[in-house]
Amino acid sequence: MASIVCFGEMLIDFVPDTAGVSLAESQGFLKAPGGAPANVACAIAKLGGSSAFIGKVGKDEFGYMLADILKKNGVNADGVLFDEHARTALAFVTLKKNGEREFMFYRNPSADMLLKESELNMDLIKNSKIFHYGSISLITEPCRSAHMAAMKTAKQAGVLLSYDPNVRLPLWPSPEAARHGIMSIWNEADFIKVSDDEVAFLTQKDSDSEEAVKSLWRDHFKLMVVTDGEKGCRYYTKNLKGKVSGFPVKAVDTTGAGDSFVGSILCSIAKDNSIFTDEGKLKEALKLANACGAICTTKKGAIPALPSISDAQALMSK
């Protein structure tokens, strides 16, 4: 059984073959597998951890391709379902000149939105150490109910709950709906990873302010990490707080960097959960996660750019 189960969407990202252009200006697109929870599952497997993915794709060529990519990357795909009535989700993602992204989604509805509670492989969840999820699966029914049931099953089985909100505003009816939906399950998590931009969005305050970050902290959390792009990250536990610097690299595409970071930190937690209380171990784990995130930005696409443990150690030893 996999020690870390990732739940949610898996889709195809279409990335312009020329960097620094808008979607309208792009002449051609490269097809890349994506979807944050699936990226995290692949990141874990690539780092030598054991992961599974639960989600739904269309019973179409893209759906089969995605399930195949999971298997090729060493992810347990027993929780993958194929929907006969809906297509695999597509996203067009462009990288502007600064490496930042612009998204356009095709989900009307897509297969991942139609996952039902009755279809969930609950045994995978019950037998894992960590259950990881995002917020996109909360946007519509029946997927939202399936997500809530999966979290409840994990909690009852004593599995650690890991949440990366992964804000994608174009998918929500409004920014207010996104804020409300994302925060609706905030208190359930044990571990939260949130980016500086997401802190600003969720709190409507400056993400550098301690007050903003404090408003997101809950006393039962084991760990909350705020990622600050190339600057590194900030960490908060009940008794610890601090910063770990990032690694300067030439960024080509930031897609998947956060997922690579999360995959790395979840691997470390699954191996040794004393990192929640041992600051030395925590800093070492976050340094490794920063290296993984940095390496991921140096290539196009998320899954193809995910580093191995030796890639990350090579960057750290530089």
Side-chain angles (χ1 to χ4, degrees), residues 217-223 236-240 276:
W217 172 258
R218 302 292 181 267
D219 272 345
H220 69 275
F221 285 175
K222 291 187 178 352
L223 174 65
Y236 302 83
T237 75
K238 221 185 189 102
N239 303 310
L240 309 169
F276 293 135

Side-chain angles (χ1 to χ4, degrees), residues 223-237 240-248 261 264-265 275 278-294 316:
L223 174 65
M224 182 168 82
V225 176
V226 178
T227 52
D228 292 307
E230 70 260 16
K231 290 188 294 197
C233 63
R234 291 169 269 169
Y235 60 87
Y236 302 83
T237 75
L240 309 169
K241 70 171 196 179
K243 288 181 180 175
V244 178
S245 314
F247 294 87
F261 179 97
S264 176
I265 194 74
I275 76 167
D278 181 323
E279 192 160 18
K281 285 182 183 173
L282 176 59
K283 284 186 139 170
E284 207 44 47
L286 290 170
K287 190 179 166 187
L288 178 64
N290 282 341
C292 289
M316 285 161 75

